[in-house]
Amino acid sequence: MNGLVKSIQENVVFLLQFLAVVVVIFMVAYVAEKIAAKKQGATERILSTRKIAMIGMFSAISAILMLFEIPVYFAPGFYKLDFSELPALIGTFAFGPVAGVMIEFCKIILKLLFKSTSTAFVGELANFVVGCSFLLPASIIYSLHKTKKTAIISCIVATACMTVFGTAFNAVYLLPKFAQLFGMPLDAIIGMGSQINAAITDIVTFVCFAVAPLNLIKGSLVSIITLLIYKQISPILKKTN
């Protein structure tokens, strides 16, 4: 009975931490968008009715894409590749940092409605926070100077940020928290990586050989696809906006 109570307490604390992270990220996005708007002399509201409608549409597309996960050969089965950041990045370029974070958050909520968590919400937190570490740098850089060159630079910087931050975040917080909530030793998780790659022997090599390549591949592919199609769909989005 004590074990059950402790487990419930740990999950509640984790969810509260999750919500705190969400609030902080929203605040960062809001401040960044306000600064960009002031620099450009823009007067449009951060969340107009049209923007909210588009955010809802992009969130739904992102949530659907999140359900289609692709296993990768170099990481354990609970690490998979998805393209849910693609609509989020397009929406971020079109409507700003706050819209991007909202798309990312709503995507997680919709995904949980479609398919419940299998990782005690750790996977959802990872997807949201690491996704925002990709979207925020891209949107902040692009919002300051909207050119093709800036878009390319923003995607390169964003991919680098997601790779570095996602790798460190997994090592320092996510993997230990996952082990704690599931009541399993961290060595057992590292062992899953060792079975795939003999070079994985500890938490550092685990994230370097399993997590970092996944984030690098995901960021690169999402960036390339966005850069290829954004120019074609941008006029439609701007008319809507």
Side-chain angles (χ1 to χ4, degrees), residues 196-218:
I196 297 170
N197 184 348
I200 296 177
T201 57
D202 54 24
I203 190 70
V204 174
T205 52
F206 184 99
V207 296
C208 287
F209 293 121
V211 179
L214 178 63
N215 288 330
L216 181 59
I217 291 170
K218 182 175 183 176

Side-chain angles (χ1 to χ4, degrees), residues 11 18 47 58 69 77 82 92 119 126 156 166 201 239:
N11 279 274
F18 194 157
L47 287 178
F58 280 117
E69 299 176 315
D82 70 73
T92 297
T119 60
I156 293 173
T201 57
K239 284 181 183 178

Side-chain angles (χ1 to χ4, degrees), residues 215-230:
N215 288 330
L216 181 59
I217 291 170
K218 182 175 183 176
S220 299
L221 291 176
V222 169
S223 295
I224 291 170
I225 296 172
T226 299
L227 292 171
L228 289 174
I229 68 174
Y230 183 72

Side-chain angles (χ1 to χ4, degrees), residues 143-157:
S143 65
L144 294 174
H145 193 55
K146 296 185 177 182
T147 64
K148 184 176 181 180
K149 181 179 179 181
T150 307
I152 294 173
I153 294 172
S154 69
C155 286
I156 293 173
V157 173

Side-chain angles (χ1 to χ4, degrees), residues 11-218:
N11 279 274
V12 170
V13 170
F14 178 73
L15 286 176
L16 291 175
Q17 291 172 342
F18 194 157
L19 292 175
V21 169
V22 171
V23 171
V24 170
I25 291 176
F26 266 112
M27 290 175 62
V28 172
Y30 179 82
V31 171
E33 190 156 338
K34 277 291 187 181
I35 292 173
K38 184 177 181 180
K39 181 178 179 181
Q40 297 171 358
T43 57
E44 184 186 6
R45 288 185 299 167
I46 288 180
L47 287 178
S48 64
T49 303
R50 291 178 179 177
K51 274 189 180 183
I52 292 173
M54 295 301 292
I55 287 169
M57 182 188 74
F58 280 117
S59 299
I61 297 172
S62 291
I64 293 171
L65 289 176
M66 194 176 179
L67 298 176
F68 295 93
E69 299 176 315
I70 305 170
V72 291
Y73 72 91
F74 52 79
F78 51 88
Y79 283 107
K80 294 179 181 179
L81 176 68
D82 70 73
F83 290 92
S84 60
E85 263 67 54
L86 178 58
L89 182 58
I90 293 172
T92 297
F93 275 178
F95 306 114
V98 172
V101 174
M102 287 192 69
I103 292 170
E104 195 72 14
F105 181 71
C106 292
K107 172 195 76 174
I108 298 297
I109 300 300
L110 290 171
K111 181 266 177 185
L112 289 172
L113 292 176
F114 293 147
K115 182 181 178 182
S116 61
T117 182
S118 58
T119 60
F121 299 104
V122 176
E124 286 73 27
L125 173 64
N127 193 284
F128 174 76
V129 176
V130 176
C132 287
S133 75
F134 175 68
L135 297 175
L136 283 178
S139 61
I140 291 171
I141 295 172
Y142 184 69
S143 65
L144 294 174
H145 193 55
K146 296 185 177 182
T147 64
K148 184 176 181 180
K149 181 179 179 181
T150 307
I152 294 173
I153 294 172
S154 69
C155 286
I156 293 173
V157 173
T159 300
C161 287
M162 182 171 71
T163 302
V164 174
F165 175 81
T167 301
F169 193 49
N170 270 266
V172 174
Y173 183 78
L174 289 176
L175 286 172
K177 179 60 69 173
F178 183 82
Q180 176 190 346
L181 293 177
F182 274 85
M184 62 188 299
L186 187 57
D187 289 342
I189 298 176
I190 296 172
M192 296 177 188
S194 301
Q195 293 177 358
I196 297 170
N197 184 348
I200 296 177
T201 57
D202 54 24
I203 190 70
V204 174
T205 52
F206 184 99
V207 296
C208 287
F209 293 121
V211 179
L214 178 63
N215 288 330
L216 181 59
I217 291 170
K218 182 175 183 176

